[in-house]
């Protein structure tokens, strides 16, 4: 299907997206994804179009079994639609809903093998108005992913302009230190992931593990007892090495991952 032009999502990155895991005949945690999407729509000043997006999403998901798709990434994108030339958005806009499905060809289950982690030179810019939401402008992640390909790491840590660790390219970071979980404070940049939300609010409390959100520097990552990251497609993935630091056991990660899979059986 062709995208009508002009479209402000293509022209200016004026929009939002969510990438959801489809498996076992259903989407995983759709409410959390749609809640974050709603927050982003409000931040960008879009009219309320979540109901329409949900109808289209449900229709697509209902068709997947007949297409012999058992596991896939389902991306829901909403742009502000068309508008006049220039940055200023139209006062009255008609958002566009775009849904793309990519069947699992890369075997995301296999991605749960311990990851090698590098350090990206590309920095995340601070912008408090956009922190937390998943807007369409991902050029920082694109540049970092290009670095990763040239250096053959599985993932890379991304820092902000203050040299604080914020995330990996496609996920949220977690440090285990003395039985406590520490994750970057995302008040100025970064995406507040759905699995991050579940880990902080559900899985860690269920195990009696305290979670702190704070600024984290690179030395804290290297000095951790365990290091792992999360995202919507792989769930939780442990890190085997970062710089000179290496890990071979992840007891806290293993317990949290068991809760994740138990949540989705």
């Amino acid at each position: 299907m062709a995208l009508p032009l002009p479209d402000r999502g293509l022209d200016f990155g004026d929009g939002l997206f969510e990438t959801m895991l489809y498996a076992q005949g259903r989407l995983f945690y759709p409410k959390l994804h749609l809640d974050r999407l709603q927050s982003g729509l409000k931040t960008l000043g879009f009219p309320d179009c979540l109901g329409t997006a949900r109808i289209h999403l449900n229709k697509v998901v209902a068709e997947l079994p007949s297409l012999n798709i058992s596991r896939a990434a389902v991306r829901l994108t909403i742009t502000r639609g068309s508008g006049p030339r220039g940055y200023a958005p139209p006062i009255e806009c008609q958002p566009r809903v775009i849904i793309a499905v990519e069947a699992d060809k890369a075997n995301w289950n296999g991605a749960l093998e311990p990851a090698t982690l590098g350090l990206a030179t590309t920095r995340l810019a601070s912008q408090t108005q956009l922190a937390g939401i998943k807007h369409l402008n991902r050029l920082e992640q694109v540049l970092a992913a290009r670095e990763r390909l040239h250096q053959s790491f599985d993932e890379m840590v991304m820092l902000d302009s203050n040299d604080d660790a914020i995330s990996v390219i496609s996920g949220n970071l977690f440090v285990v230190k003395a039985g406590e979980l520490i994750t970057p404070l995302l008040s100025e940049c970064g995406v507040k992931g759905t699995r991050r939300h579940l880990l902080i609010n559900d899985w860690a409390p269920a195990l009696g593990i305290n979670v702190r959100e704070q600024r984290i520097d690179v030395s804290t990552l290297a000095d951790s007892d365990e290091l792992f990251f999360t995202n919507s497609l792989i769930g939780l993935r442990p890190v085997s090495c970062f710089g000179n630091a290496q890990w071979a056991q992840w007891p806290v990660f293993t317990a949290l991952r068991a809760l994740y899979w138990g949540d989705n059986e």
Side-chain angles (χ1 to χ4, degrees):
M1 180 179 294
L3 177 67
L5 296 178
D7 186 89
R8 291 182 58 85
L10 178 62
D11 290 346
F12 306 117
D14 190 1
L16 304 144
F17 74 102
E18 293 289 332
T19 303
M20 291 167 267
L21 173 63
Y22 172 82
Q24 302 171 11
R26 61 187 173 88
L27 290 177
F28 280 37
Y29 309 111
K31 184 179 185 304
L32 290 179
H33 284 284
L34 294 177
D35 285 348
R36 181 174 61 185
L37 185 60
Q38 179 75 338
S39 176
L41 292 171
K42 182 178 179 181
T43 297
L44 297 185
F46 277 38
D48 186 8
C49 55
L50 194 64
T52 299
R54 185 183 286 110
I55 291 170
H56 289 299
L57 178 64
N58 290 341
K59 181 179 179 181
V60 169
V61 170
E63 294 173 350
L64 296 183
S66 65
L67 299 174
N68 294 318
I69 295 176
S70 59
R71 186 178 174 92
V74 179
R75 173 169 164 146
L76 168 61
T77 302
I78 300 181
T79 78
R80 203 182 297 265
S82 298
R85 194 184 72 82
Y87 291 130
I91 295 175
E92 298 291 336
C93 70
Q94 294 183 335
R96 287 197 177 108
V97 177
I98 305 163
I99 299 175
V101 176
E102 182 179 354
D104 180 4
K105 297 178 181 179
N107 186 10
W108 291 311
N109 283 332
L112 292 172
E113 291 297 319
T116 58
L117 203 59
L119 181 63
T121 61
T122 303
R123 301 300 180 98
L124 291 168
S126 296
Q127 173 49 269
T128 56
Q129 286 181 281
L130 299 177
I133 66 173
K134 204 159 186 178
H135 54 80
L136 288 180
N137 193 324
R138 298 287 124 193
L139 285 177
E140 294 157 335
Q141 286 80 3
V142 169
L143 292 176
R146 185 172 180 270
E147 288 186 63
R148 183 188 69 79
L149 291 175
H150 286 293
Q151 298 185 43
S152 299
F153 289 110
D154 294 317
E155 256 292 2
M156 299 190 86
V157 174
M158 298 193 71
L159 309 179
D160 65 9
S161 57
N162 297 314
D163 291 335
D164 291 324
I166 298 299
S167 65
V168 292
I169 300 169
S170 300
N172 294 118
L173 270 169
F174 286 89
V175 168
V176 180
K177 190 68 176 176
E180 185 178 49
L181 273 172
I182 307 170
T183 193
L185 185 67
L186 304 181
S187 58
E188 296 184 6
C189 56
V191 176
K192 293 182 178 179
T194 56
R195 278 41 172 186
R196 177 184 186 271
H197 174 92
L198 288 163
L199 197 151
I200 292 173
N201 294 285
D202 296 340
W203 302 331
L207 295 174
I209 299 173
N210 184 53
V211 184
R212 281 191 290 126
E213 298 176 70
Q214 66 174 52
R215 295 185 180 278
I216 299 176
D217 58 26
V218 173
S219 64
T220 300
L221 299 180
D223 192 42
S224 63
D225 299 328
E226 301 176 43
L227 188 60
F228 66 91
F229 58 89
T230 62
N231 73 29
S232 62
L233 297 183
I234 64 171
L236 292 76
R237 186 175 182 184
V239 173
S240 60
C241 63
F242 174 61
N244 294 324
Q246 296 186 12
W247 297 269
Q249 295 182 328
W250 306 269
V252 172
F253 161 83
T254 301
L256 288 165
R257 184 186 170 199
L259 281 183
Y260 170 72
W261 285 117
D263 227 12
N264 292 292
E265 289 179 347

